[in-house]
Amino acid sequence: MRTIAVIPARGGSRGVPGKNLLRLGGVPLLGRSIWAARHAHRIDAVFVSTDDAAIAATAERFGAQVIHRPAALSGDAASSEAALLHALDTLPAHPGPPERLVMLQCTSPFTTGEEIDRCVAALDNPAVACALSVVPDHSFLWGISPQGFAVGVNHDETRQRPMRQTLPPQYRENGAIYAMRVAAFRKVGRRFCGPVAAIPVPPTGPEIDDLADVTLCAALESARPAPPLPPGLAALAFDQDAATLPPQQAAVLRQHGIHPLPLPAPHALHDALQALSLTPAQLCYVGTDLECLRLAGCAVAPAHVAPELANLAHLLSPQDGVEQTLAWIVRSLIGAREASGS
């Protein structure tokens, strides 16, 4: 069954201006969502629905296809479902309509490909029409009665307070992943379009709705061992006159299937890729050459570079200088490969 991911990402945002292009861990929120979808084995194509030119350019740079959303579906009152229906109606005719649809939200920056695959896999059960990601929640919830008094929602405040361990399992929607059968979704126009499967995922952080959420997610990201990276990287290029790679690190990279490419000059990059039968999408480039940054599937620039370089970089390093940035990305690449067992 063909499955597509659609990421709604309009230009306007009241709580955090420019939120979808905000960098977290050096990567725009939109880019993190696209890379997560590209890591999912069950996603056949990734689309971004937007009304914004800068978001569209970023989406294409990170490997997604763009669906240009009309202004009538891009205001504060427009629903995500409306954007999804518009996307389904305007998809390319080839290779045919999808049977499964996944909506991802940029406001959940720690989504993984494995979590997306688990939500899609729930639809393998013919009784399930849709699925969503949730996190375990052991909170005692309260509401307000018509008389203005607090009343228990998932507990009875008029009885002896139960122990948390005795409460039935409950989960909170984390706003990250929604998977649905296209036919069922089209029939009712809602993401919850029939029997729902709840897929528990780790509670990695909040949805980003305001600046306090940004601060918390930035703190959580700083504690993570490696930044997000796209799938399929097979070569690491860097400016030879600005950085060196210790032989031991080069050997470890090769063991993990990544070819180190110290470039005597930026124009040598095309020849180096051709010699290895690799495409630019498989290349991670660390440096400050404009053409190399434009070419690479994962372009990494040092911190505090000029705006035109920063705009081209998929990932901005926390380090200054190419030498320090190279050392940082090598640790990240090796750590990611060791964590995945590849």
Side-chain angles (χ1 to χ4, degrees):
M1 291 187 179
R2 183 166 179 258
T3 303
I4 66 167
V6 175
I7 305 170
R10 63 188 183 89
S13 176
R14 288 186 177 181
V16 182
K19 176 172 61 179
N20 289 318
L21 296 183
L22 177 76
R23 286 187 183 264
L24 180 68
V27 182
L29 293 182
L30 175 63
R32 296 174 72 101
S33 292
I34 294 170
W35 280 353
R38 288 177 54 196
H39 273 285
H41 299 293
R42 285 176 170 260
I43 298 295
D44 298 307
V46 185
F47 296 87
V48 171
S49 168
T50 187
D51 61 326
D52 184 88
I55 289 176
T58 299
E60 291 177 338
R61 179 114 178 89
F62 277 80
Q65 301 178 60
V66 174
I67 295 173
H68 295 280
R69 196 192 318 178
L73 300 179
S74 302
D76 291 339
S79 69
S80 296
E81 280 84 352
L84 294 178
L85 289 168
H86 172 264
L88 290 172
D89 289 339
T90 55
L91 286 174
H94 180 79
E99 296 178 69
R100 295 174 175 179
L101 169 67
V102 176
M103 180 177 73
L104 302 176
Q105 301 203 115
C106 302
T107 48
S108 296
F110 301 115
T111 300
T112 68
E114 186 272 337
E115 292 168 355
I116 297 170
D117 280 336
R118 288 176 56 209
C119 287
V120 176
L123 302 182
D124 291 345
N125 181 344
V128 173
C130 52
L132 78 158
S133 55
V134 298
V135 294
D137 191 320
H138 307 292
S139 303
F140 289 103
L141 302 178
W142 291 81
I144 303 298
S145 73
Q147 295 76 30
F149 298 107
V151 292
V153 174
N154 62 343
H155 62 103
D156 187 347
E157 79 282 1
T158 67
R159 298 191 175 193
Q160 179 66 33
R161 189 177 186 89
M163 297 178 63
R164 290 180 184 271
Q165 297 90 329
T166 65
L167 288 175
Q170 62 184 30
Y171 301 92
R172 173 175 55 81
E173 185 175 341
N174 75 341
I177 310 166
Y178 302 88
M180 59 210 85
R181 297 184 187 277
V182 170
F185 171 64
R186 279 192 174 280
K187 185 175 181 180
V188 300
R190 298 188 303 272
R191 70 189 76 180
F192 303 122
C193 48
V196 184
I199 308 301
V201 299
T204 49
E207 291 183 79
I208 294 180
D209 289 321
D210 55 34
L211 292 176
D213 296 330
V214 174
T215 300
L216 177 54
C217 285
L220 293 169
E221 175 65 22
S222 68
R224 293 163 71 88
L229 297 170
L233 294 178
L236 173 64
F238 54 95
D239 300 331
Q240 192 173 28
D241 62 343
T244 57
L245 185 64
Q248 184 177 5
Q249 288 188 338
V252 174
L253 285 173
R254 291 190 183 93
Q255 289 174 6
H256 289 291
I258 299 174
H259 300 274
L261 298 177
L263 300 175
H267 66 262
L269 185 53
H270 287 279
D271 292 340
L273 288 175
Q274 189 173 19
L276 293 170
S277 299
L278 297 177
T279 67
Q282 296 172 282
L283 172 70
C284 179
Y285 167 74
V286 175
T288 57
D289 180 78
L290 282 169
E291 290 306 313
C292 292
L293 288 170
R294 288 192 182 99
L295 179 70
C298 181
V300 185
H304 310 120
V305 291
E308 61 268 25
L309 298 179
N311 290 336
L312 286 174
H314 296 94
L315 175 60
L316 285 179
S317 166
Q319 308 293 329
D320 276 317
V322 175
E323 181 88 27
Q324 294 83 356
T325 297
L326 177 64
W328 174 73
I329 203 67
V330 166
R331 292 193 300 270
S332 299
L333 285 166
I334 292 173
R337 292 300 174 96
E338 290 177 345
S340 66
S342 60

